[in-house]
Amino acid sequence: MESAKRVLVYLRKDNSLLQCAQFVQDITGLYGDRHQDRAVVNCGLDQNRFIVSDQPFGGSSKAQLQRPTFCPIKNLSSDQAASLPEVIRNRGVDVGVTVLLQSANNKVLLTRRSKTLTIFPNVWVPPGGHMEPGEQLLQAGLRELQEETGLSLQEAHQPWSILGLWESAFPPLLSRGPPIRHHIVTYLLVSSNETHQELQEKLRPDEQEVSACVWLDPQIAERIVATEEGLKDSGKNVPGLQTSVKITEVRGGTLAQKDLPLATLLNTAPNDGEDVERVSTGTKYALALWLDTLRLKDAISV
């Protein structure tokens, strides 16, 4: 398995020996009902291994693990799995770390991936990427945040927590081809003591990875979360809903403000053909968890 420079997912269940996750392994189904798309697990890093377990272990955190109903790994038949190229079958499952950056005035940052990227091009996600050996979760997330957006946050001064885990595959549907990537994405909620306007002034996106940025308020996040995958116009015809959002595009190394139709952020994953500009399904999951934290904070403050 080509794992020399990659942090991979390892699994333990029912006090079994720790095992490296197989590329075609249905991880969410392992810890829950195969027909359900959600499970509660314990997770953490140990010696460059990201461990997912049904039992707590030293340094672990409890987190919700979820996948989309159309997850290719869940729906992969044994024949389809066997037909994957050996180099794919032997990849293991990669670890992704993504930062949902919350400003002091309760907005979160999303970035639109460059059209030139091979995985999820032109799709809106929080900043993030792979872990490097020796890194901790927050360290990896803040490194990716700086590399992609230019925002440099001091690790020791940032309140943070694990929002949840997401089982992701690319392409995102089997109807668009067999999977070539399989990740467990760790969504981190990182809180800044600066407003989104103050953070906006420091944005220096890397155009090779990021083509645009947007700050979402809870109201827009709620509309995005409410869209249902598989329904073409889900959530788009809501009376009184604003029709556009202000984004910052990267154009030849300079930043420019632009109005983006809100309907673009409400697009869902197409079953076939070319993908469309949209908020990724995993990002919708993370936004829903973020909104839950805001409701909990409001309930505590009452």
Side-chain angles (χ1 to χ4, degrees), residues 181-252:
R181 291 290 187 272
H182 185 186
H183 287 78
I184 293 296
V185 181
T186 306
Y187 286 101
L188 307 182
L189 176 61
V190 177
S191 300
S192 171
N193 59 7
E194 296 183 283
T195 66
H196 81 281
Q197 295 98 332
E198 292 171 315
L199 292 166
Q200 174 74 18
E201 291 297 318
K202 302 175 183 178
L203 279 178
R204 300 293 184 270
D206 178 358
E207 197 167 0
Q208 292 186 338
E209 297 195 56
V210 173
S211 63
C213 301
V214 65
W215 292 95
L216 297 182
D217 60 36
Q219 291 72 32
I220 296 300
E222 285 178 357
R223 295 311 318 154
I224 293 171
V225 168
T227 58
E228 295 184 46
E229 295 293 346
L231 299 181
K232 184 178 179 181
D233 294 318
S234 175
K236 294 185 178 181
N237 301 312
V238 178
L241 186 66
Q242 68 186 73
T243 58
S244 65
V245 291
K246 189 76 67 178
I247 69 171
T248 302
E249 282 199 329
V250 190
R251 300 176 183 172

Side-chain angles (χ1 to χ4, degrees), residues 136-149:
Q136 297 300 309
L137 291 172
L138 180 60
Q139 183 181 13
L142 295 184
R143 173 184 52 76
E144 287 287 347
L145 176 69
Q146 182 172 11
E147 289 176 358
E148 294 185 7
T149 71

Side-chain angles (χ1 to χ4, degrees), residues 11-73:
L11 308 175
R12 180 186 288 126
K13 185 181 180 184
D14 298 330
N15 296 316
S16 64
L17 293 176
L18 195 63
Q19 294 185 332
C20 189
Q22 300 176 27
F23 182 86
V24 296
Q25 194 160 9
D26 174 8
I27 296 176
T28 306
L30 175 68
Y31 294 101
D33 188 311
R34 174 167 171 75
H35 302 290
Q36 299 295 318
D37 297 311
R38 182 179 305 177
V40 176
V41 299
N42 300 275
C43 62
L45 280 168
D46 179 59
Q47 298 179 0
N48 291 324
R49 300 173 299 186
F50 186 78
I51 299 173
V52 179
S53 173
D54 59 342
Q55 298 293 327
F57 56 91
S60 67
S61 300
K62 182 169 286 188
Q64 180 175 282
L65 167 64
Q66 192 161 320
R67 65 185 174 194
T69 56
F70 50 79
C71 176
I73 303 299

